[in-house]
Amino acid sequence: MRDDAEVETAVVSSLESPSAPEGFVLEEIEMRGFMRYLEKTVPPLRFPEKYTVITGRTGAGKSSILDAITFALYGKTTRTDIQSVKLADICRPNGYVRVAFHQGDERWDVTRGFTTKKESYLEVTRDGEAVQGTIPDKERTIRDVVGLDYDGFRNSTFVRQEEMKELGAASGSERLAVFQKLFRLEIFEQALERAKERFTSLKSDIQAKEAEIAAREEALGRLPDLQQQLGSLDEERKVRGDRVAKLQSDF
């Protein structure tokens, strides 16, 4: 059973203006039967400010709180990233995690868990109104609201202990490589490469369109000459028509 004394939270007030627009702002987490939180968290873990520091000794359940967030939102955790670990291994029958958060002016409540028959379920409400649909439908809604998929959320939120230890032991270029790994800079490099490819493709399309426009402008430039030639041909047609008519009248 979880010992409440093992996890303590220290709140650091936000330096942002209260009137500043808000993105994803966590409000509270409620758990039962999730990882080492066997009993329902009463009261829920609340986050009254934008910045919260969670402290506790090893094994106190700090990482479990972070895993609870991704479990509720995405049905995944850093532990289930390991293929041998299943969701049923970290959330017991009749267990669940409820996460409440604000996104802009809307309040969202997400509850994910398993029934006593080990059937998974997902409940989502927006401003107190239930969001309808299948579990995949609701998961798409959550991704759209949060603005990140699981990998994006995890990579922007978690720094594992072994990665911090690796950073402390590294030096020079090795430390730079560790920072690149910690902050997943390869994601930005990949995005940059995709942007370059897209730019090259768009540049090629623009050049093709410019060539097409130039060809049409050239054709338009020849239009007066063509109109003049057409007029001359029309005059010649009339003259020949008159000659034919005269010959017919003579016969």
Side-chain angles (χ1 to χ4, degrees):
M1 182 179 296
R2 170 181 172 271
D3 182 356
D4 288 335
E6 290 183 348
V7 178
E8 58 185 53
T9 59
V11 178
V12 181
S13 298
S14 169
L15 298 179
E16 295 184 20
S17 168
S19 61
E22 295 180 342
F24 178 92
V25 179
L26 185 65
E27 282 192 351
E28 63 181 36
I29 303 174
E30 181 179 293
M31 294 175 279
R32 183 180 68 195
F34 181 79
M35 300 184 70
R36 69 186 314 278
Y37 291 84
L38 301 182
E39 301 298 329
K40 180 179 178 180
T41 50
V42 180
L45 300 176
R46 293 190 172 91
F47 304 87
E49 302 291 345
K50 289 186 180 180
Y51 302 101
T52 301
V53 178
I54 303 173
T55 65
R57 64 175 180 267
T58 301
K62 302 182 297 298
S63 297
S64 297
I65 295 174
L66 299 177
D67 281 326
I69 298 173
T70 60
F71 171 77
L73 297 179
Y74 302 103
K76 298 179 181 179
T77 73
T78 56
R79 287 166 174 77
T80 56
D81 289 343
I82 304 172
Q83 292 184 353
S84 60
V85 179
K86 307 300 181 184
L87 285 178
D89 297 330
I90 62 174
C91 188
R92 296 165 180 79
N94 208 32
Y96 69 91
V97 174
R98 181 179 65 84
V99 171
F101 64 92
H102 268 91
Q103 180 72 10
D105 296 329
E106 297 177 334
R107 187 183 190 277
W108 292 80
D109 204 298
V110 178
T111 304
R112 188 191 296 267
F114 289 92
T115 66
T116 53
K117 296 182 179 180
K118 300 183 180 180
E119 296 174 343
S120 63
Y121 66 89
L122 175 62
E123 298 173 351
V124 181
T125 65
R126 177 179 60 190
D127 293 332
E129 183 176 346
V131 174
Q132 303 299 324
T134 63
I135 289 180
D137 291 338
K138 295 174 184 178
E139 288 176 335
R140 281 191 291 271
T141 298
I142 292 170
R143 288 196 299 271
D144 291 342
V145 170
V146 177
L148 293 169
D149 60 11
Y150 168 69
D151 289 331
F153 190 91
R154 181 199 63 190
N155 291 338
S156 63
T157 306
F158 294 91
V159 177
R160 297 178 177 85
Q161 289 182 347
E162 59 268 21
E163 293 174 327
M164 291 303 297
K165 292 178 181 178
E166 186 179 352
L167 176 62
S171 61
S173 59
E174 293 180 350
R175 181 165 295 182
L176 175 60
V178 173
F179 271 116
Q180 290 175 331
K181 179 181 177 182
L182 278 176
F183 297 105
R184 280 77 182 183
L185 298 183
E186 72 276 4
I187 295 175
F188 298 98
E189 293 173 355
Q190 292 168 3
L192 179 60
E193 288 301 317
R194 288 195 295 270
K196 288 180 178 178
E197 291 174 0
R198 181 61 176 160
F199 173 78
T200 301
S201 176
L202 289 174
K203 185 177 180 180
S204 177
D205 290 343
I206 290 173
Q207 290 174 341
K209 294 296 183 183
E210 288 177 342
E212 182 180 349
I213 291 172
R216 293 189 178 186
E217 287 178 343
E218 182 181 356
L220 287 173
R222 295 198 305 268
L223 184 59
D225 292 337
L226 293 173
Q227 288 176 331
Q228 184 177 0
Q229 292 176 17
L230 181 61
S232 298
L233 291 172
D234 189 52
E235 288 295 329
E236 184 177 350
R237 179 187 62 79
K238 290 179 180 179
V239 170
R240 292 188 178 186
D242 292 342
R243 289 178 181 176
V244 170
K246 186 175 183 304
L247 289 172
Q248 287 176 340
S249 63
D250 290 342
F251 285 102

